[in-house]
Amino acid sequence: MQYKSTTTTAFLIAALFIGSLYLNGCNTDDSGYDDILGRKIAVYNGYGAWDSSAVAIKNCLEERGWDVVLVNEDSVQHSLDSIGLVVIGAGNPLDILNGLGFTGRERIRNMVWRGGSYIGLGAGAFIAGDSIVFNQFPSIETPIGLYRGYAAGPLGTIAYLPNYAMTIVNLNVDVLNPTGIPSISVLYYGGPTMIIYSPIDAESIGRFNVDDSFVGWKFRHGSGRVVLCSVQPEIEEDSNRDGSDWGDNLNDGESDWFWLQNMADWCLENVPVQK
C-alpha cells in the first residue's frame, strides 16, 4: 500500500488525556457553522494520506460541480473557516491521526458538530470513531470522535495482503442511492468494519456481498452530517480521469463516482456551490 509515511509517533499520556476530552464531548473551538452553504470541500492530502485517493476524490467531486481544495495537516490545524465538508480517503490511519494532531482532530469534530460535514473513505472511516483496532492491535492514537464505537481492520474476509482487491458491495437502495443501483464492484483498500454504539439513528449505506457485513454508515453529529465508507469509490480502475493510472490492472468496467457524489450531495444538503 502506498502512503506518504509509515512511521507512527504516539504518546500514551497525551492520548489518554485527549481521549477523555472526546468521550466527555469537550469542544473548545467557538467558531460557528450556522451557514454552510457555499463553503468549499477540503480533501486531506497531508501526512499519511495516499495521493492517488486524494486526487481522485477531488476530481470526482469537481465533476459534480463542487469547489474542492486539497489540504494538508497544517491547513486543517489552523483554520477550517471556509470549509463545509472535509473528506479523508485512503492511507495509513495511524499516520493520518498523528499528522492531524490534537488540534486538527478537534477542529474537524467541532466543525461537524456546528453544521459542517465529514466523509471518511477507507482510512478516513478508520479514524472517525472513539477507538481503533488496526492490524489486530488496539491503537493508543485517539480518533476524531464523531461517534461512540470503534473501527477494526483491515478485513481478511475481503482481502489478504497486500490488503486491496475488487469486491462487490450491495448498496442500500434507500440511502444515498437515488438511482436504485443494487450493487457495484468497488476497490477495497484496507478499510475497517465499524461498530457504532451511538448515534442510534445511523443508517447503513450498504453491505459487503461476501459476508453481508456493513460497508458504511450515514448519520448526524450535532448539527452536521457524517458518511463513513470502508471502500474507495473514488478510484477509477479502468480510467485515468481520476488523475492516476493506479489500478489499471484491476478489472472494473463501471464507475462508482455517482455514489461518492451522492454522499457529498447529502452532506451539503444538495445545494451546489457556485464557483
Side-chain angles (χ1 to χ4, degrees):
M1 298 172 72
Q2 304 172 41
Y3 306 122
K4 285 193 172 181
S5 172
T6 57
T7 301
T8 303
T9 303
F11 297 93
L12 180 56
I13 295 176
L16 292 173
F17 171 71
I18 293 167
S20 68
L21 290 178
Y22 287 161
L23 291 173
N24 287 297
C26 177
N27 291 297
T28 60
D29 184 354
D30 293 329
S31 59
Y33 287 87
D34 295 330
D35 180 11
I36 67 170
L37 305 184
R39 293 182 180 272
K40 295 180 180 180
I41 297 174
V43 178
Y44 181 74
N45 194 30
Y47 185 77
W50 180 30
D51 291 320
S52 295
S53 173
V55 172
I57 293 168
K58 183 176 187 291
N59 289 344
C60 171
L61 297 181
E62 283 182 337
E63 182 188 76
R64 188 69 152 190
W66 297 104
D67 190 357
V68 187
V69 294
L70 295 176
V71 298
N72 61 18
E73 59 274 17
D74 291 334
S75 300
V76 176
Q77 290 168 0
H78 285 89
S79 176
L80 290 175
D81 290 345
S82 64
I83 302 301
L85 167 62
V86 172
V87 187
I88 300 182
N92 184 306
L94 304 187
D95 283 350
I96 293 173
L97 286 177
N98 186 257
L100 291 174
F102 171 72
T103 301
R105 302 173 213 173
E106 185 184 45
R107 284 195 181 277
I108 293 173
R109 188 177 71 257
N110 288 335
M111 182 205 71
V112 177
W113 183 261
R114 291 178 170 87
S117 295
Y118 177 87
I119 294 176
L121 308 174
F126 246 119
I127 67 175
D130 285 336
S131 60
I132 292 175
V133 178
F134 186 59
N135 285 326
Q136 302 182 6
F137 292 97
S139 169
I140 62 174
E141 293 281 7
T142 305
I144 296 171
L146 298 177
Y147 68 89
R148 294 185 181 274
Y150 68 91
L155 307 177
T157 56
I158 310 300
Y160 294 100
L161 293 176
N163 291 329
Y164 68 82
M166 300 303 299
T167 190
I168 301 297
V169 168
N170 298 322
L171 302 181
N172 186 336
V173 296
D174 298 320
V175 178
L176 302 179
N177 185 18
T179 60
I181 294 175
S183 64
I184 57 174
S185 175
V186 62
L187 176 68
Y188 172 78
Y189 201 73
T193 185
M194 290 154 281
I195 306 301
I196 296 181
Y197 303 128
S198 66
I200 59 174
D201 60 346
E203 295 182 278
S204 165
I205 64 174
R207 293 174 180 262
F208 287 107
N209 184 69
V210 66
D211 60 5
D212 203 39
S213 62
F214 293 109
V215 75
W217 304 89
K218 66 181 274 285
F219 54 88
R220 293 178 181 271
H221 177 75
S223 298
R225 301 184 177 195
V226 179
V227 180
L228 306 178
C229 182
S230 301
V231 293
Q232 313 299 150
E234 73 275 16
I235 299 296
E236 294 280 74
E237 293 79 18
D238 293 336
S239 170
N240 62 3
R241 70 173 179 155
D242 60 1
S244 170
D245 59 3
W246 190 94
D248 284 352
N249 60 317
L250 300 175
N251 184 21
D252 182 26
E254 65 187 8
S255 173
D256 309 315
W257 275 14
F258 76 94
W259 199 31
L260 176 53
Q261 290 168 350
N262 289 340
M263 296 177 193
D265 285 352
W266 179 75
C267 284
L268 292 171
E269 302 179 325
N270 297 303
V271 179
V273 170
Q274 301 298 318
K275 294 184 179 181

